[in-house]
Amino acid sequence: MKTKNSTIIGLALLGITNTTEAKTDLQIEALAEVPLNQPIIRASALPSLPAGIDSFAFVDFYGRESGAFYSEANVGRELYKTIGPKVEWNGGSGMDDVFRIGGSIKPKIIDDLFLEMKAYPLTLASNGNLLRTSQLSLFGRLDLPKEVYLEDWTDTNIDWNNPKKPLVASELTLGKTLVDNLALEVQGAYNVNIPGLQARAGLRYNF
């Protein structure tokens, strides 16, 4: 069961996107997914906070049940070049909240390519117990000519009780800006919300 304290902390991390001092980039995506033939609505926020703190949050509402959702929020700060600590909250319907503690690096390789690599060696349950799991995470975005973009995130979750069988979840997005802030997207996902492969298509609007 989720504890009151863990819910408060998670909501506080999400609420950081609404601070009056933050400059926030907000995205809304409306997608249709197969093979489940279910709709997905995703809201993402990328605020720039004072004191060099960066943050990110998103929430997915999926299926035809109004209470079905999954959400993440994280905060971090670069201390040396692009390296710094990061804390993340994961929560959603049908799962206990977890908190991940680690760090990230944003290597600069080529122009028009953004990369962030995160390592979370510590994972806490909502009751404060240390879990025997860790996570490695990668996010990348490549801006291509003619307002085409390619994005990918991949999470590798390691259960130290069985480290030889990590669980990988990934999502690849190909998008094309149609007009102003509106883009058409197609996605391929693996082990996201459900096991196996999923295909999606829909629209993204940047506020």
Side-chain angles (χ1 to χ4, degrees), residues 15-31:
I16 214 167
T17 64
N18 291 321
T19 59
T20 57
E21 299 177 59
K23 179 183 178 182
T24 302
D25 294 325
L26 178 65
Q27 296 178 348
I28 300 293
E29 292 170 277
L31 303 163

PDB file of all heavy atoms in Angstrom, residues 15-31:
ATOM      1  N   GLY A  15       4.701  18.842  -8.295  1.00  0.00           N
ATOM      2  CA  GLY A  15       4.295  20.220  -8.129  1.00  0.00           C
ATOM      3  C   GLY A  15       5.384  21.217  -8.407  1.00  0.00           C
ATOM      4  O   GLY A  15       5.123  22.404  -8.603  1.00  0.00           O
ATOM      5  N   ILE A  16       6.625  20.753  -8.438  1.00  0.00           N
ATOM      6  CA  ILE A  16       7.739  21.657  -8.728  1.00  0.00           C
ATOM      7  C   ILE A  16       7.592  22.271 -10.116  1.00  0.00           C
ATOM      8  O   ILE A  16       8.121  23.332 -10.403  1.00  0.00           O
ATOM      9  CB  ILE A  16       9.065  20.877  -8.607  1.00  0.00           C
ATOM     10  CG1 ILE A  16      10.158  21.781  -8.076  1.00  0.00           C
ATOM     11  CG2 ILE A  16       9.505  20.268  -9.907  1.00  0.00           C
ATOM     12  CD1 ILE A  16      11.397  20.999  -7.650  1.00  0.00           C
ATOM     13  N   THR A  17       6.827  21.612 -10.984  1.00  0.00           N
ATOM     14  CA  THR A  17       6.637  22.129 -12.335  1.00  0.00           C
ATOM     15  C   THR A  17       5.729  23.346 -12.360  1.00  0.00           C
ATOM     16  O   THR A  17       5.627  24.021 -13.384  1.00  0.00           O
ATOM     17  CB  THR A  17       6.026  21.047 -13.246  1.00  0.00           C
ATOM     18  OG1 THR A  17       4.726  20.719 -12.764  1.00  0.00           O
ATOM     19  CG2 THR A  17       6.904  19.823 -13.280  1.00  0.00           C
ATOM     20  N   ASN A  18       5.053  23.626 -11.254  1.00  0.00           N
ATOM     21  CA  ASN A  18       4.116  24.739 -11.231  1.00  0.00           C
ATOM     22  C   ASN A  18       4.601  25.923 -10.393  1.00  0.00           C
ATOM     23  O   ASN A  18       3.820  26.801 -10.066  1.00  0.00           O
ATOM     24  CB  ASN A  18       2.752  24.272 -10.677  1.00  0.00           C
ATOM     25  CG  ASN A  18       2.067  23.336 -11.639  1.00  0.00           C
ATOM     26  OD1 ASN A  18       2.112  23.537 -12.841  1.00  0.00           O
ATOM     27  ND2 ASN A  18       1.459  22.294 -11.118  1.00  0.00           N
ATOM     28  N   THR A  19       5.882  25.937 -10.016  1.00  0.00           N
ATOM     29  CA  THR A  19       6.386  27.045  -9.227  1.00  0.00           C
ATOM     30  C   THR A  19       6.380  28.313 -10.066  1.00  0.00           C
ATOM     31  O   THR A  19       6.644  28.293 -11.265  1.00  0.00           O
ATOM     32  CB  THR A  19       7.818  26.765  -8.742  1.00  0.00           C
ATOM     33  OG1 THR A  19       8.653  26.549  -9.872  1.00  0.00           O
ATOM     34  CG2 THR A  19       7.865  25.558  -7.835  1.00  0.00           C
ATOM     35  N   THR A  20       6.109  29.434  -9.414  1.00  0.00           N
ATOM     36  CA  THR A  20       5.994  30.688 -10.146  1.00  0.00           C
ATOM     37  C   THR A  20       7.322  31.140 -10.712  1.00  0.00           C
ATOM     38  O   THR A  20       7.364  31.920 -11.659  1.00  0.00           O
ATOM     39  CB  THR A  20       5.436  31.779  -9.215  1.00  0.00           C
ATOM     40  OG1 THR A  20       6.298  31.895  -8.073  1.00  0.00           O
ATOM     41  CG2 THR A  20       4.037  31.436  -8.754  1.00  0.00           C
ATOM     42  N   GLU A  21       8.453  30.647 -10.121  1.00  0.00           N
ATOM     43  CA  GLU A  21       9.760  31.070 -10.601  1.00  0.00           C
ATOM     44  C   GLU A  21      10.253  30.210 -11.754  1.00  0.00           C
ATOM     45  O   GLU A  21      11.285  30.491 -12.340  1.00  0.00           O
ATOM     46  CB  GLU A  21      10.777  31.011  -9.461  1.00  0.00           C
ATOM     47  CG  GLU A  21      10.439  31.916  -8.292  1.00  0.00           C
ATOM     48  CD  GLU A  21      11.449  31.758  -7.174  1.00  0.00           C
ATOM     49  OE1 GLU A  21      12.646  32.001  -7.426  1.00  0.00           O
ATOM     50  OE2 GLU A  21      11.056  31.377  -6.073  1.00  0.00           O
ATOM     51  N   ALA A  22       9.536  29.145 -12.069  1.00  0.00           N
ATOM     52  CA  ALA A  22      10.010  28.210 -13.076  1.00  0.00           C
ATOM     53  C   ALA A  22       9.508  28.598 -14.459  1.00  0.00           C
ATOM     54  O   ALA A  22       8.367  29.017 -14.634  1.00  0.00           O
ATOM     55  CB  ALA A  22       9.527  26.793 -12.746  1.00  0.00           C
ATOM     56  N   LYS A  23      10.399  28.465 -15.438  1.00  0.00           N
ATOM     57  CA  LYS A  23      10.015  28.568 -16.842  1.00  0.00           C
ATOM     58  C   LYS A  23       9.789  27.159 -17.352  1.00  0.00           C
ATOM     59  O   LYS A  23      10.713  26.345 -17.412  1.00  0.00           O
ATOM     60  CB  LYS A  23      11.105  29.263 -17.654  1.00  0.00           C
ATOM     61  CG  LYS A  23      10.764  29.378 -19.132  1.00  0.00           C
ATOM     62  CD  LYS A  23      11.910  30.010 -19.908  1.00  0.00           C
ATOM     63  CE  LYS A  23      11.565  30.062 -21.395  1.00  0.00           C
ATOM     64  NZ  LYS A  23      12.694  30.624 -22.174  1.00  0.00           N
ATOM     65  N   THR A  24       8.548  26.833 -17.729  1.00  0.00           N
ATOM     66  CA  THR A  24       8.180  25.459 -18.001  1.00  0.00           C
ATOM     67  C   THR A  24       7.829  25.248 -19.464  1.00  0.00           C
ATOM     68  O   THR A  24       7.039  25.994 -20.032  1.00  0.00           O
ATOM     69  CB  THR A  24       6.984  25.038 -17.122  1.00  0.00           C
ATOM     70  OG1 THR A  24       7.323  25.210 -15.755  1.00  0.00           O
ATOM     71  CG2 THR A  24       6.618  23.586 -17.373  1.00  0.00           C
ATOM     72  N   ASP A  25       8.430  24.207 -20.061  1.00  0.00           N
ATOM     73  CA  ASP A  25       8.015  23.728 -21.371  1.00  0.00           C
ATOM     74  C   ASP A  25       7.016  22.599 -21.148  1.00  0.00           C
ATOM     75  O   ASP A  25       7.322  21.607 -20.487  1.00  0.00           O
ATOM     76  CB  ASP A  25       9.216  23.213 -22.161  1.00  0.00           C
ATOM     77  CG  ASP A  25      10.188  24.324 -22.515  1.00  0.00           C
ATOM     78  OD1 ASP A  25       9.729  25.444 -22.767  1.00  0.00           O
ATOM     79  OD2 ASP A  25      11.407  24.076 -22.526  1.00  0.00           O
ATOM     80  N   LEU A  26       5.820  22.747 -21.693  1.00  0.00           N
ATOM     81  CA  LEU A  26       4.750  21.776 -21.481  1.00  0.00           C
ATOM     82  C   LEU A  26       4.374  21.133 -22.807  1.00  0.00           C
ATOM     83  O   LEU A  26       4.236  21.811 -23.826  1.00  0.00           O
ATOM     84  CB  LEU A  26       3.528  22.470 -20.870  1.00  0.00           C
ATOM     85  CG  LEU A  26       2.292  21.592 -20.627  1.00  0.00           C
ATOM     86  CD1 LEU A  26       2.596  20.523 -19.589  1.00  0.00           C
ATOM     87  CD2 LEU A  26       1.109  22.451 -20.177  1.00  0.00           C
ATOM     88  N   GLN A  27       4.219  19.796 -22.775  1.00  0.00           N
ATOM     89  CA  GLN A  27       3.800  19.037 -23.952  1.00  0.00           C
ATOM     90  C   GLN A  27       2.594  18.188 -23.602  1.00  0.00           C
ATOM     91  O   GLN A  27       2.500  17.645 -22.505  1.00  0.00           O
ATOM     92  CB  GLN A  27       4.919  18.109 -24.435  1.00  0.00           C
ATOM     93  CG  GLN A  27       6.165  18.787 -24.924  1.00  0.00           C
ATOM     94  CD  GLN A  27       7.224  17.776 -25.324  1.00  0.00           C
ATOM     95  OE1 GLN A  27       7.110  16.584 -25.026  1.00  0.00           O
ATOM     96  NE2 GLN A  27       8.263  18.244 -25.987  1.00  0.00           N
ATOM     97  N   ILE A  28       1.689  18.056 -24.562  1.00  0.00           N
ATOM     98  CA  ILE A  28       0.563  17.135 -24.446  1.00  0.00           C
ATOM     99  C   ILE A  28       0.589  16.214 -25.658  1.00  0.00           C
ATOM    100  O   ILE A  28       0.692  16.681 -26.802  1.00  0.00           O
ATOM    101  CB  ILE A  28      -0.784  17.882 -24.395  1.00  0.00           C
ATOM    102  CG1 ILE A  28      -0.847  18.828 -23.192  1.00  0.00           C
ATOM    103  CG2 ILE A  28      -1.937  16.879 -24.336  1.00  0.00           C
ATOM    104  CD1 ILE A  28      -0.860  18.133 -21.850  1.00  0.00           C
ATOM    105  N   GLU A  29       0.513  14.902 -25.402  1.00  0.00           N
ATOM    106  CA  GLU A  29       0.452  13.919 -26.489  1.00  0.00           C
ATOM    107  C   GLU A  29      -0.839  13.118 -26.383  1.00  0.00           C
ATOM    108  O   GLU A  29      -1.253  12.731 -25.281  1.00  0.00           O
ATOM    109  CB  GLU A  29       1.652  12.970 -26.415  1.00  0.00           C
ATOM    110  CG  GLU A  29       2.980  13.639 -26.716  1.00  0.00           C
ATOM    111  CD  GLU A  29       4.154  12.740 -26.403  1.00  0.00           C
ATOM    112  OE1 GLU A  29       4.561  12.694 -25.224  1.00  0.00           O
ATOM    113  OE2 GLU A  29       4.664  12.077 -27.319  1.00  0.00           O
ATOM    114  N   ALA A  30      -1.472  12.882 -27.504  1.00  0.00           N
ATOM    115  CA  ALA A  30      -2.664  12.043 -27.592  1.00  0.00           C
ATOM    116  C   ALA A  30      -2.350  10.922 -28.574  1.00  0.00           C
ATOM    117  O   ALA A  30      -2.100  11.176 -29.762  1.00  0.00           O
ATOM    118  CB  ALA A  30      -3.866  12.849 -28.057  1.00  0.00           C
ATOM    119  N   LEU A  31      -2.331   9.679 -28.075  1.00  0.00           N
ATOM    120  CA  LEU A  31      -1.866   8.542 -28.866  1.00  0.00           C
ATOM    121  C   LEU A  31      -2.883   7.408 -28.827  1.00  0.00           C
ATOM    122  O   LEU A  31      -3.613   7.233 -27.858  1.00  0.00           O
ATOM    123  CB  LEU A  31      -0.527   8.022 -28.313  1.00  0.00           C
ATOM    124  CG  LEU A  31       0.618   9.035 -28.227  1.00  0.00           C
ATOM    125  CD1 LEU A  31       1.703   8.528 -27.298  1.00  0.00           C
ATOM    126  CD2 LEU A  31       1.186   9.302 -29.613  1.00  0.00           C
TER     127      LEU A  31
END
